[in-house]
């Protein structure tokens, strides 16, 4: 480990430790070890849900598309592909079509 540390740098730690919030080297079947991970995931999912889901008039949850107009976005994407089809002579997908 010392030789690797000289080459790679960093520090030599001890187990159990955590990496990106996930416990390493601990007994993985212990519920106490995973409580913190589960709580953090639940908090992140709750934030995600509030950002991308909203309740409609009937109280049901529906996907929120933000401020984007999906019809305009779809038209713009189609126009982009038409432009590429017209201007790119050697593209593989043009040969297939």
């Amino acid at each position: 480990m010392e030789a690797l540390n000289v080459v790679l740098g960093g520090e030599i730690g001890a187990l159990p430790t955590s990496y990106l919030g996930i416990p390493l080297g601990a007994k993985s079947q212990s519920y106490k070890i995973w409580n913190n991970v589960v709580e953090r995931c639940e908090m992140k999912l709750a934030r995600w849900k509030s950002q991308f889901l909203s309740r409609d008039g009937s109280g049901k949850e529906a996907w929120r598309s933000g401020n984007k107009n999906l019809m305009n976005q779809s038209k713009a994407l189609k126009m982009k592909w038409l432009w590429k089809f017209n201007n790119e002579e050697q593209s593989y997908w043009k040969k297939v079509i």
Side-chain angles (χ1 to χ4, degrees), residues 54-62:
S54 63
R55 298 212 182 262
D56 62 7
S58 65
K60 295 180 181 177
E61 290 184 339

Side-chain angles (χ1 to χ4, degrees), residues 65 68-79:
S65 63
K68 294 181 181 176
N69 182 328
L70 296 180
M71 293 297 283
N72 288 341
Q73 189 175 2
S74 177
K75 287 179 186 177
L77 186 58
K78 289 175 190 174
M79 293 303 294

Side-chain angles (χ1 to χ4, degrees), residues 81-96:
W81 284 110
L82 285 172
W83 181 87
K84 281 187 168 200
F85 186 79
N86 189 41
N87 292 308
E88 294 179 0
E89 296 298 326
Q90 299 300 321
S91 65
Y92 181 73
W93 68 273
K94 185 173 182 177
K95 292 176 185 176
V96 171

Side-chain angles (χ1 to χ4, degrees), residues 12-31:
I12 299 174
L15 295 175
T17 188
S18 66
Y19 177 71
L20 299 175
I22 299 174
L24 302 175
K27 294 180 181 179
S28 62
Q29 295 179 346
S30 172
Y31 291 110

